[in-house]
Structures are given as structure tokens and as C-alpha cells.
Amino acid sequence: MFKNASLLVSFILILGSTLSQSMHCARFSHRKRVAFGLWLTIATVMPFLYKTNFLSFITMPGRKPGINDFRDLSEAVLNKNFKCLVPKGTADEELLLKSKIDYLEMLGEVIRQNRWKYKTNEDLNDIIDDSTALIMARQFMQLTYGDLINTDIEISKDSFGVWNVAIALRKYFCCKRQLDAAIFSILSTGLYKKWFGDQVFLSSLPRKLSTHYAERQIRLSFEDLKSSICILIIGLILSLIILLAEIFSVTLFCKKNDS
């Protein structure tokens, strides 16, 4: 590529350009100038992106993966990293055991063996912690914990069952059609959703008013920096190898010119 330069020297110059090293000026044809300009652009942008990503990586420590669905919860429970509680007096445990899904059945079996249950009238804030999950109806959980803003509690999007709620009436109730039409109108117009959202907001309002917000600080530990330090050491070793290769190639090139 470079005039009066061997293939090894050209390779070292190109490799050095990716590490923000200068390159010798050379006269190229118009076609080679386009290719050389594209390469200089790539050699400028790629190290910049690498440096910014590397700095952002070592600035903020990574977080451990959380529990996203029942499969993750079942694996965490089997590994004894989590425990899962079901409401006392409900059929949730039996539904898990009879679900015919392997990870749900295993989860239900562990719950049955350890008798992990809780009462719905207990203070759930005293039960749930970083290694405890609760199984309950989604709407009841939303009414209990509110909108979950500025809290350490998260509601999973995964569900293992759906229960329909209906109104029990006498067999010969006269206004059944009118009642069904009224309920359908309430649901279709979004009144029930609006009412439920207001109740969730009101349930979380006392907590929001009594919460004192403080800036959260995260400290970097050695585990967070271990991979970054390894990458840095590997980079220094590669830089040393490239430096030795440059010295060797230049020395060899000078000897050839002298001879």
C-alpha cells in the first residue's frame, strides 16, 4: 500500500493508526486516496467509540440479572437463591403442581415441601425482601404497593393463570340483560380502568408524601473493575508486542538499506 515499504511495515503502520498513532504521508492515486480516507475515518471513529464505551462500562457497575418470569423464578428457587411464597388458603400451590409445565411444577413442589405461605392480612413489606418473591393477584398487588415508583419492588409481567370475575345473580333475575349491557359499557368506555388507576394512585399517595428522596450512590467494587483491569493488561501486553515488532522491523529495514 505504501510506496517503498514492505508488507510488514505497511501492516504495522495501519495497525498503529487504529491505536491513534500517526502515519507517514505518501502520494496516492485518486482511487487509493478514497480508500485511504475511508480507512482514516474508520481508524478515528472506532477508537473513539471504544474509549467512550469502555469509560461508561467502568464508571457504572453492572447489575445482576433480575427475575423476569416464572422460569427464572423457578431456577432461582431451585438454586436456593430465592424463596417464593403463596397466599395461605388459596389454590395457587395446587395450580402450580397441576399446571403440566415442568418449571411451574418444580416451583410448586418446592413451595409445598418448604411450606412457603403467607397471610394476606400480614404487612407484606415485612415479608418481601431481596431474596423473596410473593405470588398474588396482579390487581391486588397494584392496590397494595401502588404504582411502584421509587420503590425496590417490581411486578412481573408473567402470569401462570387468569381468573374471570362475575356477579352472582338469581336464575330468574329480571334485569340480567340490562346489567350485562351496563357492565359492558363501563368496561368498553374505560371507566373501570380509570377508577382502578385512581385507586392505585391513592394507595401509593401516602408513601410518596412521606418518602424523603436522597441521591443514590453506587460504589465500584473490585469485582466490577476486574474485567476492565484484565482488558487493560491485555491491551498493554499487545502494545508492548507491537512496540517490539516496530523496533525489530525498523532495525531490519535499516540493515537492508545499509547493505
Side-chain angles (χ1 to χ4, degrees):
M1 179 177 179
F2 296 94
K3 190 176 181 181
N4 298 327
S6 62
L7 181 62
L8 179 61
V9 175
S10 300
F11 173 75
I12 292 175
L13 291 175
I14 293 175
L15 183 62
S17 65
T18 60
L19 302 175
S20 302
Q21 300 296 319
S22 60
M23 298 180 65
H24 296 293
C25 296
R27 294 181 179 180
F28 300 112
S29 61
H30 294 291
R31 292 183 179 179
K32 290 184 178 181
R33 286 179 182 177
V34 174
F36 186 66
L38 291 175
W39 171 253
L40 289 180
T41 304
I42 295 173
T44 303
V45 174
M46 293 305 294
F48 173 75
L49 295 177
Y50 168 76
K51 292 176 183 177
T52 54
N53 291 329
F54 182 75
L55 290 176
S56 63
F57 174 76
I58 65 175
T59 301
M60 180 64 68
R63 295 182 178 180
K64 296 181 179 180
I67 305 297
N68 297 320
D69 49 25
F70 278 97
R71 185 184 295 274
D72 295 340
L73 179 60
S74 178
E75 293 178 357
V77 169
L78 292 176
N79 294 329
K80 297 182 180 181
N81 297 327
F82 250 77
K83 64 179 181 179
C84 180
L85 282 67
V86 297
K88 192 174 183 179
T90 62
D92 292 342
E93 180 182 331
E94 294 297 327
L95 291 174
L96 290 172
L97 292 172
K98 298 178 180 179
S99 61
K100 296 182 180 180
I101 301 176
D102 53 355
Y103 57 88
L104 291 181
E105 290 179 353
M106 289 187 292
L107 178 61
E109 183 64 26
V110 175
I111 293 174
R112 185 184 63 82
Q113 292 177 358
N114 294 277
R115 297 180 180 179
W116 285 339
K117 295 183 179 181
Y118 68 94
K119 297 180 180 179
T120 55
N121 57 357
E122 295 182 63
D123 188 0
L124 301 182
N125 293 318
D126 297 335
I127 301 175
I128 192 170
D129 53 28
D130 294 337
S131 60
T132 303
L134 303 181
I135 293 180
M136 65 175 66
R138 186 180 302 276
Q139 291 188 344
F140 178 74
M141 188 176 295
Q142 291 175 344
L143 290 174
T144 303
Y145 293 105
D147 52 13
L148 301 180
I149 297 177
N150 297 320
T151 63
D152 295 331
I153 300 173
E154 184 176 358
I155 299 178
S156 173
K157 296 181 180 179
D158 192 13
S159 302
F160 71 91
V162 178
W163 290 266
N164 295 320
V165 179
I167 300 176
L169 302 173
R170 289 186 178 182
K171 187 175 181 180
Y172 300 103
F173 183 67
C174 62
C175 303
K176 182 176 180 299
R177 290 185 178 179
Q178 291 82 348
L179 180 61
D180 291 340
I183 294 175
F184 179 77
S185 299
I186 292 173
L187 294 176
S188 59
T189 54
L191 292 178
Y192 173 76
K193 187 176 181 180
K194 174 65 169 59
W195 172 82
F196 183 78
D198 293 341
Q199 295 301 316
V200 171
F201 174 77
L202 291 175
S203 64
S204 61
L205 186 59
R207 174 178 53 81
K208 292 181 179 179
L209 295 177
S210 60
T211 301
H212 299 284
Y213 299 99
E215 184 178 356
R216 187 176 181 181
Q217 297 180 354
I218 302 177
R219 296 181 179 179
L220 290 172
S221 62
F222 177 75
E223 293 295 329
D224 299 323
L225 297 175
K226 183 170 62 176
S227 58
S228 303
I229 294 174
C230 292
I231 295 174
L232 178 61
I233 294 174
I234 293 173
L236 293 176
I237 294 174
L238 292 176
S239 300
L240 180 61
I241 294 174
I242 293 172
L243 177 62
L244 295 176
E246 287 182 351
I247 295 174
F248 176 76
S249 61
V250 171
T251 304
L252 184 62
F253 181 73
C254 292
K255 288 182 179 180
K256 288 183 178 180
N257 290 336
D258 294 338
S259 61

